[in-house]
Amino acid sequence: MQVHYLIDGPEDAFASLILAHGAGAAMDSDGMNALVRVLATAGFRVARFEFAYMEARRLGARKPPPKAELLRDEYLAAIDAVSLPGPLFIGGKSMGGRVASMIADPLHREGRVAGVLCLGYPFHPPAKPQQLRTTHLEALATPCLICQGTRDAFGTREEVASYRLSRQIELFWLEDGDHDLRPRRKLTGLSHADHLDAMAAKVRDWARRILTESGARR
């Protein structure tokens, strides 16, 4: 499998991050660009890639996203195909983060991955809260940070509070944020940029703590 990347952030980063896109937006969408920009500014070397169905769309094929379970091998191939500085974190936006969380534990046991970052985790499809996507999260052994808007249609703060999740999972809530972490400014006084900056600072601090606790070195 040939993997094409977009790489941002300092070459001497304290850690690197492989970031996969969500189900409906490409790796260079406005939303992904905004996420990567703040994470690179926070000190990460960020590598983005696309799953094959999304690459096919660039050539005119109208392919729907496969089930997340069917994308695990593609994510593993993307990890194998790139060389990045420092300890490695994996993750993604929505579906991309879900796939990363599915493959993380064996990689963490082997010392290849330090943690998982999920930006807007799709706990369930919108308006279908009974269709949970949390079974593997109950026993996740890899340190994981989920950054979630409190009114995310894929899992609100009230809904997620009732889920059984691994103690390795840390939740960072962004007030009034939607699935893209975007708040309603008239209600909160906060902008999307404010939430993205807060997210990036949290991710940086979380990653540094994980690396310190694990004894990882650059």
Side-chain angles (χ1 to χ4, degrees):
M1 172 185 172
Q2 185 176 10
V3 185
H4 299 99
Y5 296 93
L6 293 175
I7 299 181
D8 299 88
E11 293 184 2
D12 60 346
F14 79 93
S16 291
L17 171 64
I18 296 180
L19 205 63
H21 56 82
M27 67 177 177
D28 57 354
S29 66
D30 289 345
M32 285 291 288
N33 287 341
L35 292 172
V36 169
R37 186 163 52 248
V38 294
L39 289 167
T41 300
F44 291 91
R45 185 74 162 168
V46 186
R48 286 175 274 175
F49 75 97
E50 286 184 337
F51 295 112
Y53 81 89
M54 187 62 73
E55 283 200 341
R57 290 185 183 182
R58 294 184 184 273
L59 302 176
R62 298 179 62 85
K63 289 194 171 186
K67 290 183 177 181
E69 292 82 357
L70 301 179
L71 296 172
R72 289 178 291 192
D73 287 346
E74 287 191 45
Y75 205 126
L76 289 168
I79 294 171
D80 290 339
V82 68
S83 177
L84 295 165
L88 178 65
F89 292 81
I90 60 174
K93 175 71 178 75
S94 193
M95 182 193 71
R98 183 184 176 199
V99 177
S101 69
M102 290 176 169
I103 64 171
D105 278 356
L107 297 170
H108 184 252
R109 285 195 297 270
E110 295 167 5
R112 298 179 62 193
V113 164
V116 181
L117 172 64
C118 300
L119 301 171
Y121 188 86
F123 288 99
H124 59 73
K128 297 180 179 179
Q130 71 282 3
Q131 296 183 20
L132 289 180
R133 299 159 171 165
T134 58
T135 300
H136 72 287
L137 297 181
E138 295 179 9
L140 188 70
T142 305
C144 176
L145 176 64
I146 297 177
C147 298
Q148 193 88 353
T150 60
R151 63 181 177 95
D152 191 331
F154 290 78
T156 66
R157 187 169 193 165
E158 291 75 16
E159 290 169 339
V160 176
S162 67
Y163 301 159
R164 294 179 58 188
L165 300 176
S166 164
R167 292 185 179 180
Q168 292 296 323
I169 296 174
E170 182 173 344
L171 286 154
F172 179 61
W173 292 101
L174 291 151
E175 187 61 35
D176 196 57
D178 62 11
H179 195 51
D180 293 321
L181 310 181
R182 188 184 301 275
R184 293 169 292 189
R185 187 161 193 165
K186 289 183 178 180
L187 292 179
T188 65
L190 297 169
S191 68
H192 192 207
D194 290 332
H195 270 3
L196 293 184
D197 287 345
M199 175 274 292
K202 174 64 178 182
V203 175
R204 179 196 60 220
D205 293 347
W206 167 79
R208 288 190 180 278
R209 173 167 53 81
I210 293 301
L211 296 177
T212 298
E213 290 173 355
S214 67
R217 296 291 185 268
R218 278 180 48 184

